Amino acid sequence: MVSAVDILGRAALGIGLLASVVALVIGLPCIDAFDAAMPALADAGVPVIAVDVRAADITTAPRGATRWPVFRSGPAAHTEFAVLAGHLARAWREASFAIIDDGTLYGRQLAENVRLLLADAALEPVFVDTYRPLLESQAALVRRLQRSGASHVLIGGEARDAAIIAADAARIGYRLAIAGGSILVAPPADGRLPDGTITVAVP
């Protein structure tokens, strides 16, 4: 079997020939290689299993008259947002909550999509902000959260920043419940998140 890396890496060098000698492609493709390889793979009837590809339009959008034979091995990003918002709509219905993000594409998408889904459930944050990531302290952000009256915060950002926010809040005696996306599932070296942190991730 030819590996996905080999196939997609040779997209401009006879991908049609390669497609004729493989039965299945498995891998994490980059967009350019994916777009270059898929027409030939689809014509040859070669299915592709995209490992942990989150963007829905890559694997589900039709290309031409027929859909490409692409299968995703994990949920799309919008599924993560919907599951998280559904849980928070129940768990935080009586809470004063904030929504913050780190300005990255993932962070902004999580924060904005969950905010819109919560608005559909008649829930609005008391505070919305974008913070600067990778700082040694987030004390200024924590003070703004505290002044807003938020007791809960959805963080569209990485575990390291969430751990720093939690530690800075604990240092001033500010009880702050935290929630976030799958990116909060991270190695211990990224910092310790407080017990009770809510996250959504594939088991």
Side-chain angles (χ1 to χ4, degrees), residues 38 42-43 56-71:
M38 275 313 302
D43 288 346
D57 59 343
I58 292 177
T59 59
T60 60
R63 299 294 200 275
T66 61
R67 298 173 77 88
W68 287 347
V70 179
F71 304 90

Side-chain angles (χ1 to χ4, degrees), residues 1 3 14 31 56 63 66-67 75 83 93 96-97 126 137 140 144 154 160 165 170 182 185 192 194:
M1 177 183 285
S3 74
I31 302 302
R63 299 294 200 275
T66 61
R67 298 173 77 88
V83 169
R93 178 150 295 279
S96 295
F97 66 92
V126 297
S137 171
R144 292 198 302 275
L154 170 69
R160 181 184 183 278
I165 291 167
S182 58
V185 180
R192 176 173 170 75

Side-chain angles (χ1 to χ4, degrees), residues 1-9 22-30 34 37-38 41 46-53 69-74:
M1 177 183 285
V2 181
S3 74
V5 172
D6 289 337
I7 289 175
L8 298 179
V22 299
L24 175 70
V25 174
I26 301 173
L28 177 59
C30 72
F34 183 86
M38 275 313 302
L41 293 172
V46 177
V48 173
I49 298 177
V51 179
D52 201 33
V53 171
V70 179
F71 304 90
R72 183 199 311 277
S73 67

Side-chain angles (χ1 to χ4, degrees), residues 120-170:
D120 289 342
L123 294 173
E124 295 289 343
V126 297
F127 180 77
V128 176
D129 198 10
T130 297
Y131 64 89
R132 185 177 170 191
L134 303 176
L135 298 179
E136 293 301 318
S137 171
Q138 292 287 357
L141 171 64
V142 167
R143 285 194 295 272
R144 292 198 302 275
L145 284 166
Q146 188 178 36
R147 285 197 299 269
S148 76
S151 56
H152 297 62
V153 62
L154 170 69
I155 299 176
E158 296 188 5
R160 181 184 183 278
D161 292 318
I164 289 171
I165 291 167
D168 287 343

